[in-house]
Amino acid sequence: MLTSALVVLRLVLLQDAAAPAQPPEQAPAQSPAAAPPTEPAKPAAPATTFGELASLEAFEQALRQLPNSTDGKVTLSSIGTSTAGRAIHALRVTKEPRRKVPVPSVLIVAGLDGWHRSGSLVAAGIAERFAKETRAAIDARTVLDALDLWVIPVANPDAWAAGATRPQESAGRVGAGIDDDRDGRIDEDAPGDINGDGVISMMRRLDCPSDAPATRVADPADPRLDRAPEGVKGELAAFSLLVEGLDQDGDGSVGEDAVGGITVDANFPHLWREFAEDSGRFPLEAPEAKALAEFIRAHPGLGAVYVLGRQDSLARTPNHERRDVTGRTPVFIDGEDKGLYERIGTLYRESTGIERARDAAHEGSFAAWCYAHRGLPTFCSQLWQRPDASAPPDEKKDAPKPSDEDAAAWLAWSDRDRGGRGFLPWKPFDHPTLGKVEIGGWVPGFRTEPPASMIPELIPKHADFVASLADASARVRVERVKAREIAPGVTEITVDLVNDGRMPMTTAMARINDAVPPLRLRAKVGIDALLSGEIERRVDRLDPGSRASATWTVRRAPKTHIEIGVHFPNGRFDRVIVDDDSLLYGGRVLEGGWEW
């Protein structure tokens, strides 16, 4: 937990803070004879500095304390500044801060959206856990031995600061305002809390004019929910749904010109939405997006990216058949990488227990850009899933089925397990321009942010997945070097490569768009000395467990050596040395470093 010296403002998660006050639940009295047997207490969640949602200032202060409390395993740096001038922090977690030979890295990014701040806590908690806990406490497999970990916990600090004061749909916006309704004014008609309950929710407009007709009806299964009317059954729409707010500019629309400009997680080049109101004038216009892109380009040794945010690619395997309007570009993953995402998804579900996910757009997102443009294996998590509601006290037979079963399940969990905190009852309100309306609906953040009590439990689960992801990463190495003299002064050299990991050396998308160079084996010999083979052999693909070989026949004088450079796709460079001793013992492999 955050120490008292660090806490500036302690907040519970938004759904707890924004919901109306609920009386404490009273358990029915039971006689001692009727009391159920005592269940064993659940083990306490591991202690973590990042178990509570605090102010941005307190969170950053806790980040600055990590290097001092982790024996130098964590370093804190800045990768850029936000639109408002806030630092975008990055944590590097490494077992050996002064490694002579760099190793591949896994990058965790969170906090792209102002309404997903719990992801930032979990990301920072993962970094703390890897740095402080012994390896056995996290996972029996080697993690930091072979990999470094980079964590960018708050990629959009401005959104964190403003998230609690904006509707969820516009919480990630940064920068100068945009004239959303094209009336020559900017941010003049933002949604607002007009009934004074402290929450910007939704409105049901009951008196709908002909130029803005009703479109929804209450769901018979639960009138708090709504659905489209069934015309074949003669149903007539009764209301329309609007975000809570006023028509402040007198144009007949309510809350249509929200505060803020660019949604950072929609400002990346892959399938960037050119005419969307929040995607920016051009890709990477937002300084937050540009800082992330520059970080990716500056770290070619990244082996995988893990994004905690609004998208999912692990609880459910992404649809590889979805393409853009040309039919050529995948919206997220290419079909050849389906098996990869299925395997990693299995590891994710085993580690976290998460099997449900909400739909979210990938167009213009950071994750889609990392995969499609940079060729990186990129995996997305929504951090948690809807819990199962407790059993109802009495099951009604022949009850109508809800139109939206997922929404009904959320509502059941809110009612039975969260004291009704997730949904505001619809209450009448006289709107100054719309007439009779009802204000209520889902508490913002209830379905995206887990309860505060869950965060300490989520950190070790996602840390376990990161450990599994690190263990599954591609591990391409020189398996064997064979050298034999086939004639006086003539040596035949064979270099065998193997991928010992459970991920391919390069993704299908990396090969399609040449985002990642192939592995290159280059013999450093003169053209006159090369009798057979190519000076440079390229290997485009090495799937898990697969092998590749390259053979050269060269002239080599006694007491001299032949050097073969091994240029790996991630920028690593090793050398193979073949000399007189190699005829008996095989060539030597010298680890080099990065060639970028």
Side-chain angles (χ1 to χ4, degrees):
M1 308 296 286
L2 287 171
T3 60
S4 58
L6 298 180
V7 175
V8 177
L9 177 63
R10 292 178 58 184
L11 302 174
V12 296
L13 287 176
L14 187 62
Q15 67 267 30
D16 294 332
Q22 299 289 335
E25 298 182 51
Q26 299 292 332
Q30 291 182 323
S31 64
T38 303
E39 295 184 1
K42 294 182 179 180
T48 174
T49 305
F50 302 96
E52 293 183 356
L53 187 62
S55 67
L56 179 61
E57 293 76 13
F59 181 79
E60 290 179 336
Q61 182 64 23
L63 292 181
R64 286 189 282 269
Q65 295 296 323
L66 271 184
N68 299 328
S69 60
T70 55
D71 298 326
K73 291 182 181 178
V74 175
T75 56
L76 179 67
S77 60
S78 173
I79 68 168
T81 55
S82 69
T83 302
R86 296 183 173 92
I88 302 173
H89 297 293
L91 299 167
R92 182 191 177 208
V93 187
T94 178
K95 183 180 179 182
E96 300 179 20
R98 298 182 180 180
R99 290 186 194 267
K100 293 182 179 180
V101 179
V103 295
S105 304
V106 171
L107 170 66
I108 303 175
V109 176
L112 282 159
D113 190 327
W115 275 95
H116 206 272
R117 292 174 290 169
S118 53
S120 298
L121 298 179
V122 171
I126 293 172
E128 179 186 46
R129 185 165 169 81
F130 273 93
K132 287 187 175 181
E133 299 285 345
T134 62
R135 188 173 65 219
I138 302 173
D139 197 283
R141 293 162 288 197
T142 58
V143 179
L144 295 183
D145 288 347
L147 290 165
D148 284 351
L149 181 68
W150 282 95
V151 179
I152 301 175
V154 187
N156 188 352
D158 294 354
W160 175 305
T165 63
R166 295 184 186 176
Q168 190 164 343
E169 291 74 16
S170 60
R173 290 192 178 192
V174 299
I178 291 178
D179 182 9
D180 297 329
D181 54 359
R182 305 296 191 270
D183 65 352
R185 289 173 287 182
I186 294 176
D187 296 350
E188 82 288 348
D189 202 1
D193 173 24
I194 63 174
N195 65 348
D197 63 356
V199 180
I200 301 175
S201 52
M202 299 296 292
M203 299 188 299
R204 285 179 171 179
R205 185 179 185 181
L206 305 178
D207 298 329
C208 298
S210 58
D211 59 346
T215 57
R216 310 292 290 178
V217 295
D219 193 329
D222 193 321
R224 291 175 292 180
L225 304 177
D226 58 84
R227 60 171 173 80
E230 298 182 9
V232 295
K233 296 183 179 180
E235 286 185 342
L236 298 178
F239 55 85
S240 59
L241 278 177
L242 302 169
V243 67
E244 184 179 359
L246 301 172
D247 179 12
Q248 301 183 66
D249 55 1
D251 64 354
S253 299
V254 172
E256 82 286 354
D257 199 345
V259 172
I262 302 171
T263 297
V264 172
D265 204 25
N267 189 230
F268 289 85
H270 182 61
L271 299 182
W272 173 73
R273 300 170 299 151
E274 182 175 3
F275 300 108
E277 62 189 22
D278 64 337
S279 59
R281 296 172 299 170
F282 50 84
L284 305 183
E285 178 185 3
E288 296 85 352
K290 185 179 179 183
L292 284 173
E294 290 178 340
F295 179 88
I296 295 291
R297 286 182 59 87
H299 294 80
L302 292 175
V305 179
Y306 185 39
V307 181
L308 296 171
R310 58 191 178 95
Q311 293 101 7
D312 167 78
S313 65
L314 294 166
R316 300 181 303 188
T317 302
N319 182 359
H320 65 279
E321 296 180 349
R322 287 192 62 206
R323 302 268 164 170
D324 68 350
V325 293
T326 69
R328 299 172 58 189
T329 304
V331 171
F332 190 45
I333 69 166
D334 185 81
E336 285 191 40
D337 286 326
K338 179 183 177 183
L340 165 64
Y341 278 80
E342 287 176 339
R343 291 194 300 273
I344 302 303
T346 299
L347 294 177
Y348 173 80
R349 293 186 289 274
E350 290 174 350
S351 299
T352 65
I354 297 173
E355 297 180 343
R356 301 186 183 115
R358 305 175 298 276
D359 293 330
H362 287 282
E363 289 83 352
S365 71
F366 169 70
W369 173 78
C370 284
Y371 169 79
H373 286 219
R374 304 304 302 170
L376 294 169
T378 305
F379 307 99
C380 311
S381 168
Q382 294 173 345
L383 187 66
W384 72 305
Q385 66 178 1
R386 170 181 53 78
D388 292 324
S390 302
D394 54 339
E395 189 83 33
K396 294 182 179 180
K397 296 183 179 180
D398 301 326
K401 291 185 178 181
S403 175
D404 187 339
E405 293 185 1
D406 185 64
W410 278 108
L411 201 55
W413 183 61
S414 170
D415 292 344
R416 301 173 199 163
D417 301 275
R418 300 296 296 161
R421 292 181 177 89
F423 200 93
L424 300 174
W426 296 102
K427 294 183 179 180
F429 184 83
D430 289 329
H431 196 280
T433 57
L434 303 181
K436 294 185 180 297
V437 301
E438 293 177 345
I439 299 178
W442 295 107
V443 171
F446 177 74
R447 294 180 289 179
T448 56
E449 293 277 37
S453 59
M454 285 188 178
I455 292 178
E457 301 173 3
L458 290 172
I459 291 173
K461 291 180 179 179
H462 286 270
D464 286 345
F465 168 67
V466 173
S468 298
L469 181 63
D471 183 64
S473 297
R475 288 185 173 86
V476 180
R477 62 179 177 86
V478 176
E479 183 180 32
R480 182 174 56 174
V481 179
K482 295 180 291 184
R484 67 188 182 101
E485 192 170 50
I486 60 176
V490 178
T491 303
E492 182 184 74
I493 304 168
T494 300
V495 177
D496 295 330
L497 301 168
V498 64
N499 181 1
D500 286 334
R502 286 185 286 168
M503 292 171 59
M505 181 179 71
T506 53
T507 64
M509 205 63 192
R511 298 190 296 272
I512 290 171
N513 62 13
D514 294 327
V516 178
L519 186 148
R520 296 177 293 124
L521 295 157
R522 186 174 181 84
K524 295 187 177 181
V525 297
I527 192 65
D528 294 337
L530 184 65
L531 300 179
S532 71
E534 300 175 340
I535 287 287
E536 182 174 278
R537 166 74 193 283
R538 296 191 172 202
V539 179
D540 294 316
R541 180 171 186 164
L542 268 180
D543 290 328
S546 62
R547 289 169 168 78
S549 297
T551 300
W552 299 265
T553 303
V554 299
R555 289 193 180 97
R556 185 185 65 85
K559 297 183 180 181
T560 63
H561 73 272
I562 299 294
E563 179 179 326
I564 297 170
V566 186
H567 305 256
F568 294 91
N570 61 5
R572 184 182 174 83
F573 171 71
D574 289 345
R575 294 181 296 156
V576 174
I577 304 298
V578 176
D579 51 19
D580 289 344
D581 291 339
S582 304
L583 301 177
L584 296 174
Y585 306 110
R588 292 175 290 143
V589 180
L590 304 180
E591 293 184 333
W594 300 111
E595 62 177 337
W596 296 86

